[in-house]
Amino acid sequence: MKRLFFMSVLMAGSSLAMAQVTFHYKNDSAKQVLVDVQFAGRQEMTRGADGTWTATVGVKGDAQKQPAPDMYPFCFIVDGVSVMHPQNPI
C-alpha cells in the first residue's frame, strides 16, 4: 500500500485576510483519517474516489485570529492511530 502526503498553503492579498493549509494523505485502506494541527486542533478528512484524504484548515476573514508565522507540528490519525508525516526522514 503506497501512502503519499502533501500540503499546500493558500494565501490571499492584504484586502482579505486568509491563511489556510490543505492536507492530503493517500491511504486506500483507511476507514477514517483526521489531521491534528497545533493551531487548528483535530479536523476530519474527507476521502476522495482515488483514496486521497483531504482537509483544509485555517482561518478566513479576521486577521487578528490568524496564527503567527511559525512552524506548527501536526500528525495524521489513521483509524485511531497517530502517525507522523509518512515521508518524514526522521
Side-chain angles (χ1 to χ4, degrees), residues 28-65:
D28 295 333
S29 64
K31 303 290 186 241
Q32 180 187 42
V33 180
L34 306 171
V35 62
D36 190 357
V37 185
Q38 184 183 36
F39 70 86
R42 288 184 178 184
Q43 305 290 319
E44 191 160 347
M45 300 182 79
T46 303
R47 185 181 189 278
D50 66 349
T52 300
W53 295 79
T54 305
T56 299
V57 299
V59 181
K60 287 185 183 180
D62 189 351
Q64 298 297 322
K65 295 180 181 177

Side-chain angles (χ1 to χ4, degrees), residues 9-29:
V9 178
L10 307 173
M11 300 296 285
S14 59
S15 62
L16 174 63
M18 179 161 82
Q20 294 183 313
V21 180
T22 299
F23 293 88
H24 303 272
Y25 181 80
K26 176 77 172 168
N27 186 325
D28 295 333
S29 64

